Structure formats: structure tokens, C-alpha cells
């Protein structure tokens, strides 16, 4: 029979009525847990609630009015986790956490797990967490941020949250949850093998090995299979139990008392010893992976039936009867009354409205939040004190490089925003590979500016987790190409949180990335990466790219405002080749240095800058660029004037995503010719979107041409110059226009 959900449902009733329970998997009795009879019965009820939600999900799908069928059946033992841990212990939960959520919901008033999950199953607009955008376990009241990960990409941010919670012991910062909280994170045995998971486990071990507090409980709910691929026997246990610096605890998820006692042990270690725990809960999987998974295609009927005979609800029912907490009739009444409640809730939910327009769907990607007052700027005496570390105060009114001006801006911002923390590879003692963070650790201490291990996944996971607790992280990715290793932490985790929580949860941050090309052949493509399309396409993420140091300072201030006030994820892309550039046109002219702007000066989000050419007549040509391309365009601007008596104006876009198409077009409409200079690859480059935006927003089009990098990686040596735009290319293109 393909409908295993109905079989499991009927088998439970038949087994209960005939007292044919599975053999004991543990001799631990219900009373050993010191749970009261009422508490044990409530745990069992949470398991029953989860089961009936799974059964109803299958029915709703068959009726074409339900949209999610990955259930928790077989994993109902995690109800004990919902009981043991506090509701303020932030929990990052995977999709088999129905019983855990049902039990956790008991800890506060006015949370109905049946209604909330049914609303989510039918994608109702009234779904309190995602407004019908996804079926997720999430609740602001229960401190459960919604997760959509199926490959355990939520593990690094759980680690980051626990690590950030440990940091609060040494700072004046108050986290969003109590300081003695722990962080929970569960996942499946198949997800254990993912690179992201291994990154998270390694980071947890690394931090614990260093002696840093890490109140974290990883819960591997091991049902022995991932869709159709079996996990080798004892693979998880033998892989984890002998790892250093992380406590390994195992329990049988079919047996509630065993899970409860193991969870208590894990909680004590994490909460009071502030050490990470790996809680290995062995479970089974019932009803296949999801509604469209026909398990008989890869398992024999004998195997399926043997698994179903180990139904955890039958184990719990036997325990309750043996302890005298419930009779058979009590359990039958509980089971059927729960079914009735779920059914009636579903009947009401399917009549509720769904999201009905693109505007409604997109509303939570980047909502316009009310403006709030910024923290006070640091006093002159405080700035004097900070900048004196490194003897920089006397240079604040002198022309300086981009790297130095970013350093000054970070200093002022960290003084203004106490919740900023900055971290990454080499940013602490060394001061960054390009000296951008020099002296910041001395100015603010190693609890706010510190070095991390070499793992971009963990760096970004740290940032997401820290932001969950209320910090404003500024992580640094050392080179743009290294971001490719961990982009799902931005795309699949950081950027999706507000969307899937209807903006109830956010993880604001400013991700500093050193990148782009023009390092004159140094380091090859890992240090000269001109691929940014993967960042531009992520909904809600802001991508900023300064080309001049003075702009960089002011844009960084705006980026922090957007993160703090508007709760945005901002990527701040810094052109490496311009970090220490001094001259613009000739050696010694210092034309690319800038004076540090006053602390209150900023650049408005989305606002481009226009640098007019010097000529007797108004320019007919506009050159649009950014980053290194803008630097080259200003060089070409002078060469065109001096040698060819041709005047051009130059625009620096500055904010690369989302592009301000209307603002750019409003400027471009005054020109007969437009040249786009894009240092990135021709295919998928910013130039494509820029030109499309001009076409869509201008009634009368100018002559348009573009110059881009070639569709290649950047080589070492001197041949780089043949695949990137040059000032000579720009001059030639302008003259042709």
C-alpha cells in the first residue's frame, strides 16, 4: 500500500487497542525523569499533535490545498528537548521539529502550535511567522528564527550565536536573550556530511579548544537515511564521539525518558560550563521523506513495516500505561480529540486569504522601516584619545589614502555604535592584509576587533549569529574570490531571514570584502576577482563600491545606518588596487588622496556622483562607471580634454545593487552619448543591467556603448592588461561615440 500515512495511523490504533507494543529499547521508566504525571502526559500530547499535523499535511496535499509534507513522524522524541530547554534558549530548528515546537509552545501563553502550523501548511496570509511565504518552524515569542535550510546551512549561524553569547560576558553589550542562555540547533544525519556542517563543527571545536565560552547544543536527529541514501551504521557516532573539545551524548529518540535525561545533561554542560555539546538522538523516519517520496522504490515492504512497528508514539503510549499515567481509553480519547482539533483548524485555515500580489510577496524583502535616531557621535576628546593610538589624530585634516580613510571611518563608527564588532582573517593584530584595520584592536580591544580562523563560512555564520543577538557585525572577507566558498551564508541564510519571518527577525550587518582586479598581475584570479554578479542577484542585499577614499568613509557610515536602522545586509566592496593609490594623472600629483570628512557627513543610499568635465561647452558624453573603472575614467577625462579637446562628464555609480535606475536615467537624459565602463566580465556584468535600465527609463535614447572586462579569469604577470578596460580603451570609445 502506497499510502503509508494511513497505515501508520491505523496501526497505532490497532496496536493500542490490542496492547501490541514494540519491544522496550530502554529499561528507563517514566518516573526516573522526575517529571510529574501531568508533565509526561503533556510530552506525549505534543508527540500526538505533531503526528496529526503530519497526517493532515498529507491530506491537504492530496486535496491540492496544502503545500508541504516533510513531516516529523519518527522524530517525535524531540518533544523532550522542548521541555528541557528554556523558550529563551534561541533555537535554529530543521523541518522535523513538530513535537519540539508543540512542547516549547507550552512555556508561554497564547501560542497555539496546531493553528500556527496549519496556517503555514496552507500558505495562509495569517501565518504568524512567514505570512504564507514558506512552511517553517518559527516564532518571535519562542525565540525560534525560521530556517529554510535543507543542507544544514543554519549550523554556522547557530555556532555564531553561541559564540556571540559568550562574548557578552566581556563587553557592555546586552544580548536579545538572557546571558545564561544556550543555543540549540538540530539537523539530520544526511546533513551532517555537508561541507557547511563540517565547517560549523570544526569552528565549534576550534573555539572550545581555545577555551572560549560556547554555550551550544548541536542535535543530530539520526534517522539513518537522507531521502533514499542510507547513512552507514554508526557513522555519526564513530565520527563525532572522539572529537576533542565537544561533548558527545547519545540517546534513543524512541524512548522519551532517555531523550529527556540526555537533554538535561546536555543543557547543564552548555548552560553552566559554557561548552559545546553534540547530542546524538537516534530516531526513525516514518512516511518516507515527504509526500512525493515513494519509499517502496528503494526499501522493501518488510523494511518499511519493521520501521513502522517502532513508532515512537507506541513506545510513549506503553510507558504512560505502565506508569499508570494514562489508560488505553485515555490515549484513544487524546489521539482522536487531537485529530478533531487539527481537522477543524485546517477547515478554517483553508478559507483564509493567501498572498495575492507581487507587492505582497516582496514586501518583507527590504521593507522601509521608520527612521530612528543614530547614536551620538563620539566627542572630540574621545576621538582624540582613540586616534592618538597610532598617532593619527594629527592627520585627520590631511590628504590620505582610501585604506587610511576607511580606517578612520571604522574608528568613528565603532566609537559611535557600541554594538559593532569587527572580525575576519588577520584583521586584529596584523591590522588586515592591506592595513585597513590597523590599530583598531588596540583602540577597541580584542573582544570587539579580533582574528578568526581561515573559514569564510564560519566568519559569515558568526556574523549572522551575532546579528541575531543584537550585535551589528562588520565581518571582513579577505578577498572577493573567497566569498564564493560561503555565498550561501549570504544568499540562503542572511538575506532570506526577513523574507521568511515577515521582517520579525533580522540579521543586519556590513560585510567588508576586498576585491576587484587591477593589482597588476599579482596573485592571479584569487586575488584579482572581477566577478560580482553572484552578489548583485540576491534579493534585499545592498552592494556598495566606493572608488575614492572620501566617498568610502561616507558610504561606510551610510552602510552602517542602513544595517542598524533599516536592518539591511550590506556588502561593502573595496577595490584593492585603490586602497593605497595616491596619484591620479602623474607621479606625485596626489590626486587620489582625500581629506577625511567630518563625522556627520554621509552619502545617501543610491545616490551617484557626477564629475563634470572642464570645457567651454556642456559635455555631450557621459561616462558611467564604478570602482577601478571610475578611476580610469577620470584619467581618460583629462586625456580627452588635453589631447583631443573633448569634454566628458564622469559618473561614479557607487551603489551597485539595487541600482538607482531612475536617478541614473535622470542624469543620463541630458547627454547625446553614454559610455558604460565595467571592469567585470562582459557576460552577467553590471553593464547589462545599466543599459537595460536606460532603455526602460528614457523616452529618447542616447548613443550607448560599453567597455567591459573579457569573459575570463585574471592571469598573473603582465597579460592582465589585455583583458581589463584601460584609459586608452575609454578614450577610443568616447572618440568613436
Amino acid at each position: 500500500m502506497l499510502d503509508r500515512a494511513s497505515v501508520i495511523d491505523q496501526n497505532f490504533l490497532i496496536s493500542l487497542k490490542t496492547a501490541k507494543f514494540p519491544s522496550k529499547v530502554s529499561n528507563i521508566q517514566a518516573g526516573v525523569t522526575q517529571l510529574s504525571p501531568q508533565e509526561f502526559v503533556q510530552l506525549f500530547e505534543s508527540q500526538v499533535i505533531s503526528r496529526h499535523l503530519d497526517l493532515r499535511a498529507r491530506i491537504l496535499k492530496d486535496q491540492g490545498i496544502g503545500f508541504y509534507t516533510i513531516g516529523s513522524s519518527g522524530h517525535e522524541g524531540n518533544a523532550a528537548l522542548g521541555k528541557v530547554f528554556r523558550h529563551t534558549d534561541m533555537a535554529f530548528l530543521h523541518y522535523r521539529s513538530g513535537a519540539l515546537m508543540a512542547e516549547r509552545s507550552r512555556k508561554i501563553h497564547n501560542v497555539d502550535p496546531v493553528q500556527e502550523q496549519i496556517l503555514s501548511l496552507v500558505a495562509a496570509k495569517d501565518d504568524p511567522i512567514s505570512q504564507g511565504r514558506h512552511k517553517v518552524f518559527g516564532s518571535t515569542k519562542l525565540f525560534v528564527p525560521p530556517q529554510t535550510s535543507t543542507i544544514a546551512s543554519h549550523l554556522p549561524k547557530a555556532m555564531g550565536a553561541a559564540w556571540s553569547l559568550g562574548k557578552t560576558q566581556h563587553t557592555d553589550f546586552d544580548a536579545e536573550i538572557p546571558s545564561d542562555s544556550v543555543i540549540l540547533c538540530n539537523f539530520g544525519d544526511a546533513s551532517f556530511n555537508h561541507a557547511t556542517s563540517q565547517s560549523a563543527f570544526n569552528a565549534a571545536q576550534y573555539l572550545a579548544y581555545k577555551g572560549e565560552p560556547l554555550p551550544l547544543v548541536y542535535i543530530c536527529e539520526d534517522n539513518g537515511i537522507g531521502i533514499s541514501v542510507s547513512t552507514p551504521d554508526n557513522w555519526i557516532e564513530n565520527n563525532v564521539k572522539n572529537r576533542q573539545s565537544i561533548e558527545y551524548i547519545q540517546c534513543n529518540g524512541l524512548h522519551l525518558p532517555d531523550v529527556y535525561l540526555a537533554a538535561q545533561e546536555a543543557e547543564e554542560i552548555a548552560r553552566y560550563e559554557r561548552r559545546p555539546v553534540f547530542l546524538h538522538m537516534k530516531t526513525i523516519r516514518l512516511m518516507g521523506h515527504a509526500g512525493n517520496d515513494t519509499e517502496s522504490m528503494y526499501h522493501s515492504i518488510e523494511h518499511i513495516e519493521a520501521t513502522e512497528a517502532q513508532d515512537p508514539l507506541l513506545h510513549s503510549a506503553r510507558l504512560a500505561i505502565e506508569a499508570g499515567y494514562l489508560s488505553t481509553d485515555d490515549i484513544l480519547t487524546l489521539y482522536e480529540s487531537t485529530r478533531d482539533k487539527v481537522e477543524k483548524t485546517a477547515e478554517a485555515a483553508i478559507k483564509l486569504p493567501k498572498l495575492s500580489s507581487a507587492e505582497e510577496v516582496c514586501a518583507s524583502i527590504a521593507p522601509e522601516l521608520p527612521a530612528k535616531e543614530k547614536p551620538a557621535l563620539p566627542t572630540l576628546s574621545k576621538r582624540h584619545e582613540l586616534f592618538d593610538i597610532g598617532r593619527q589624530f594629527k592627520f585627520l585634516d590631511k590628504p590620505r589614502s582610501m585604506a587610511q580613510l576607511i580606517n578612520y571611518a571604522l574608528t568613528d563608527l565603532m566609537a559611535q555604535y557600541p554594538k559593532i564588532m569587527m572580525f575576519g582573517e588577520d584583521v586584529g593584530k596584523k591590522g588586515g592584509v592591506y592595513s585597513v584595520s590597523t590599530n583598531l584592536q588596540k583602540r577597541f580591544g580584542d573582544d570587539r576587533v579580533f582574528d578568526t580562523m581561515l573559514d569564510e563560512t564560519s566568519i559569515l555564520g558568526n556574523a549572522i549569529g551575532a546579528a541575531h543577538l543584537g550585535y551589528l557585525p562588520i565581518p571582513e572577507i579577505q578577498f572577493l574570490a573567497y566569498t564564493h566558498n560561503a555565498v550561501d551564508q549570504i544568499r540562503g541564510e542572511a538575506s532570506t531571514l526577513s523574507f521568511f519571518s515577515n521582517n520579525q527577525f533580522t540579521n543586519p550587518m556590513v560585510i567588508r570584502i576586498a576585491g576587484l582586479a587591477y593589482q597588476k598581475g599579482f596573485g592571479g584570479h584569487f586575488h584579482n576577482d572581477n566577478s560580482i554578479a553572484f552578489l548583485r542577484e540576491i534579493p534585499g542585499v545592498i552592494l556598495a563600491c566606493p572608488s575614492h577614499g572620501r566617498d568610502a568613509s561616507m558610504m561606510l557610515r551610510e552602510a552602517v545606518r542602513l544595517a542598524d536602522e533599516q536592518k539591511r545586509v550590506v556588502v561593502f566592496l573595496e577595490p584593492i588596487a585603490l586602497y593605497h593609490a595616491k596619484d591620479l594623472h602623474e607621479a606625485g600629483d596626489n590626486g587620489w588622496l582625500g581629506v577625511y570628512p567630518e563625522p556627520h557627513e554621509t552619502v545617501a543610499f543610491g545616490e551617484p556622483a557626477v564629475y563634470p568635465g572642464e570645457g567651454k561647452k556642456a559635455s555631450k558624453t557621459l561616462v558611467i562607471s564604478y570602482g577601478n573603472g571610475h578611476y580610469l575614467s577620470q584619467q581618460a577625462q583629462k586625456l580627452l580634454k588635453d589631447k583631443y579637446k573633448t569634454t566628458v562628464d564622469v559618473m561614479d555609480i557607487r551603489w551597485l545593487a539595487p541600482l538607482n535606475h531612475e536617478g541614473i536615467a535622470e542624469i543620463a537624459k541630458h547627454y547625446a552619448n553614454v559610455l558604460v565602463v565595467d571592469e567585470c566580465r562582459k557576460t552577467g556584468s553590471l553593464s547589462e543591467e545599466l543599459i537595460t535600465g536606460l532603455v526602460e527609463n528614457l523616452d529618447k535614447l542616447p548613443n550607448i556603448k560599453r567597455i567591459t572586462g573579457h569573459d575570463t579569469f585574471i592571469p598573473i604577470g603582465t597579460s592582465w592588461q589585455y583583458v581589463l578596460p584601460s584609459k586608452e580603451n575609454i578614450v577610443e570609445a568616447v572618440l568613436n561615440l
Side-chain angles (χ1 to χ4, degrees):
M1 183 177 178
L2 295 179
D3 183 7
R4 301 313 301 181
S6 296
V7 171
I8 291 166
D9 184 23
Q10 291 304 308
N11 280 350
F12 175 80
L13 295 172
I14 294 169
S15 298
L16 183 63
K17 292 174 183 177
T18 59
K20 291 183 179 180
F21 297 109
S23 300
K24 294 181 181 180
V25 294
S26 171
N27 289 320
I28 303 173
Q29 296 178 348
V32 174
T33 61
Q34 297 184 338
L35 288 165
S36 69
Q38 180 186 14
E39 288 175 317
F40 190 89
V41 170
Q42 285 177 339
L43 280 177
F44 179 55
E45 183 183 23
S46 293
Q47 294 184 301
V48 173
I49 288 171
S50 179
R51 175 61 56 82
H52 277 298
L53 286 168
D54 285 356
L55 294 172
R56 182 53 53 178
R58 302 299 177 106
I59 295 171
L60 291 169
K61 177 183 178 295
D62 291 342
Q63 294 173 337
I65 52 178
F67 306 97
Y68 197 89
T69 54
I70 299 179
S72 305
S73 295
H75 288 244
E76 289 92 351
N78 61 30
L81 304 174
K83 177 67 175 176
V84 169
F85 292 94
R86 302 172 187 170
H87 79 279
T88 51
D89 292 332
M90 188 170 282
F92 299 87
L93 304 179
H94 79 337
Y95 45 63
R96 301 197 192 276
S97 301
L100 191 162
M101 280 295 286
E103 185 61 31
R104 190 175 175 108
S105 298
R106 299 182 192 277
K107 295 181 179 293
I108 59 173
H109 298 295
N110 301 321
V111 175
D112 183 346
V114 171
Q115 183 182 48
E116 293 196 358
Q117 288 309 304
I118 289 290
L119 291 172
S120 192
L121 286 170
V122 301
K125 189 176 177 180
D126 287 346
D127 168 17
I129 187 63
S130 77
Q131 209 179 25
R133 293 180 178 87
H134 202 340
K135 192 279 179 187
V136 289
F137 291 114
S139 169
T140 53
K141 295 177 181 178
L142 296 174
F143 294 89
V144 180
Q147 310 307 311
T148 59
S149 168
T150 57
I151 55 169
S153 59
H154 59 300
L155 270 68
K157 65 182 176 185
M159 179 274 301
W163 161 86
S164 303
L165 195 55
K167 284 282 182 186
T168 62
Q169 297 178 346
H170 306 287
T171 65
D172 296 329
F173 179 76
D174 292 325
E176 298 288 335
I177 56 178
S179 60
D180 66 342
S181 298
V182 304
I183 304 298
L184 304 180
C185 179
N186 63 353
F187 54 95
D189 51 293
S191 295
F192 172 89
N193 300 305
H194 199 273
T196 308
S197 302
Q198 295 303 314
S199 168
F201 302 143
N202 184 66
Q205 288 181 260
Y206 175 85
L207 292 168
Y209 186 83
K210 289 175 62 182
E212 297 196 27
L214 198 69
L216 171 65
V217 181
Y218 279 135
I219 303 147
C220 179
E221 298 189 13
D222 181 359
N223 60 28
I225 194 166
I227 306 183
S228 67
V229 180
S230 296
T231 299
D233 290 343
N234 302 316
W235 165 245
I236 305 296
E237 178 182 358
N238 291 332
N239 196 299
V240 178
K241 67 181 179 181
N242 294 321
R243 291 193 183 192
Q244 285 189 325
S245 305
I246 187 165
E247 191 77 22
Y248 176 79
I249 300 172
Q250 188 181 106
C251 63
N252 193 320
L254 303 180
H255 194 74
L256 268 181
D258 195 31
V259 180
Y260 185 82
L261 294 174
Q264 281 187 317
E265 182 183 0
E267 187 243 5
E268 289 175 2
I269 293 170
R271 192 178 312 282
Y272 301 111
E273 299 179 26
R274 316 305 276 172
R275 293 193 291 118
V277 180
F278 189 101
L279 179 57
H280 183 193
M281 188 176 93
K282 292 194 173 182
T283 71
I284 60 171
R285 188 190 73 185
L286 301 177
M287 305 186 200
H289 174 69
N292 59 352
D293 175 36
T294 305
E295 192 174 1
S296 58
M297 294 179 65
Y298 52 87
H299 279 160
S300 67
I301 188 63
E302 291 79 15
H303 181 280
I304 294 171
E305 289 177 343
T307 301
E308 291 172 351
Q310 293 297 318
D311 187 343
L313 266 64
L314 289 173
H315 283 280
S316 296
R318 177 184 52 77
L319 284 165
I321 292 171
E322 289 176 350
Y325 298 162
L326 292 171
S327 67
T328 299
D329 287 342
D330 291 335
I331 295 174
L332 286 170
T333 299
L334 172 62
Y335 192 78
E336 293 302 337
S337 63
T338 303
R339 185 200 306 274
D340 186 57
K341 179 180 179 180
V342 170
E343 183 175 349
K344 288 179 178 177
T345 304
E347 288 175 357
I350 60 178
K351 300 173 185 176
L352 295 174
K354 313 291 192 294
L355 294 172
S356 57
S357 68
E359 289 75 19
E360 284 189 326
V361 172
C362 299
S364 63
I365 291 177
E368 190 72 26
L369 301 178
K372 71 175 188 179
E373 188 175 349
K374 296 181 187 177
L377 293 169
T379 63
L380 183 61
S381 60
K382 181 63 177 177
R383 296 182 73 220
H384 199 297
E385 173 191 335
L386 290 170
F387 283 107
D388 244 16
I389 299 173
R391 299 189 294 274
Q392 292 298 302
F393 189 80
K394 61 185 177 182
F395 294 111
L396 290 182
D397 60 351
K398 304 292 190 300
R400 308 296 278 170
S401 69
M402 178 188 285
Q404 291 165 321
L405 294 181
I406 292 176
N407 179 277
Y408 295 169
L410 288 168
T411 300
D412 273 332
L413 286 166
M414 292 193 72
Q416 183 180 6
Y417 293 83
K419 60 184 178 180
I420 286 179
M421 58 164 62
M422 181 176 165
F423 49 88
E425 301 158 25
D426 303 304
V427 303
K429 292 181 179 179
K430 180 179 174 65
V433 174
Y434 295 98
S435 303
V436 176
S437 55
T438 298
N439 293 314
L440 288 179
Q441 189 177 78
K442 293 179 181 177
R443 290 168 185 161
F444 297 100
D446 57 11
D447 284 314
R448 293 189 65 195
V449 181
F450 46 89
D451 296 318
T452 66
M453 60 193 297
L454 198 159
D455 177 21
E456 288 71 29
T457 297
S458 294
I459 291 171
L460 293 172
N462 281 345
I464 300 169
H468 267 295
L469 298 191
Y471 283 102
L472 206 169
I474 303 183
E476 178 185 284
I477 303 298
Q478 201 166 86
F479 291 100
L480 177 62
Y482 298 175
T483 319
H484 295 286
N485 301 323
V487 67
D488 191 52
Q489 289 299 296
I490 305 174
R491 175 187 287 117
E493 295 296 336
S495 67
T496 63
L497 184 63
S498 64
F499 180 71
F500 288 119
S501 71
N502 198 30
N503 209 45
Q504 296 171 85
F505 285 98
T506 58
N507 40 209
M509 67 190 71
V510 178
I511 305 168
R512 293 183 48 250
I513 303 178
L516 300 175
Y518 290 99
Q519 290 197 79
K520 299 184 178 179
F522 166 76
H525 74 282
F526 272 109
H527 302 85
N528 287 270
D529 185 3
N530 64 340
S531 171
I532 62 172
F534 73 105
L535 293 169
R536 289 176 37 238
E537 57 86 21
I538 306 175
V541 169
I542 293 170
L543 178 58
C545 181
S547 58
H548 192 275
R550 184 175 171 84
D551 274 358
S553 303
M554 296 188 288
M555 290 173 67
L556 190 55
R557 293 168 184 166
E558 177 71 349
V560 168
R561 181 195 71 81
L562 290 164
D564 179 55
E565 178 186 288
Q566 298 298 310
K567 307 305 177 187
R568 301 295 292 271
V569 175
V570 184
V571 175
F572 200 77
L573 182 61
E574 301 166 6
I576 297 171
L578 299 178
Y579 269 147
H580 301 292
K582 295 181 179 180
D583 304 322
L584 177 57
H585 301 299
E586 57 188 31
D589 69 10
N590 288 334
W592 211 246
L593 299 179
V595 175
Y596 184 58
E598 291 297 316
H600 65 276
E601 295 183 69
T602 63
V603 168
F605 171 43
E607 182 180 293
V610 177
Y611 297 81
E614 297 178 1
K616 294 180 180 179
K617 296 181 179 180
S619 173
K620 294 182 179 180
T621 301
L622 176 67
V623 180
I624 302 177
S625 194
Y626 63 93
N628 297 289
H630 176 69
Y631 175 74
L632 296 171
S633 296
Q634 285 210 346
Q635 290 182 328
Q637 184 182 45
K638 185 175 188 303
L639 188 58
L640 283 162
K641 174 181 175 292
D642 293 348
K643 187 173 181 180
Y644 299 100
K645 310 304 179 186
T646 299
T647 303
V648 298
D649 296 344
V650 175
M651 177 194 293
D652 186 0
I653 307 167
R654 301 195 289 202
W655 303 93
L656 308 189
L659 276 174
N660 180 4
H661 286 295
E662 293 80 7
I664 293 169
E666 182 62 28
I667 295 169
K669 73 180 183 180
H670 301 290
Y671 296 87
N673 308 303
V674 170
L675 173 67
V676 176
V677 178
D678 191 338
E679 63 187 278
C680 289
R681 301 168 193 166
K682 184 175 185 179
T683 301
S685 68
L686 188 70
S687 63
E688 294 179 340
E689 185 183 352
L690 273 167
I691 293 173
T692 300
L694 293 174
V695 171
E696 291 178 341
N697 286 278
L698 291 177
D699 294 328
K700 182 180 179 182
L701 283 179
N703 299 318
I704 300 175
K705 184 177 177 61
R706 64 172 173 156
I707 300 174
T708 70
H710 286 250
D711 285 341
T712 180
F713 302 101
I714 308 300
I716 62 171
T718 59
S719 54
W720 65 270
Q721 61 191 304
Y722 303 116
V723 297
L724 292 171
S726 66
K727 67 178 180 182
E728 289 78 16
N729 297 150
I730 299 169
V731 167
E732 181 182 359
V734 168
L735 294 176
N736 286 338
L737 278 170

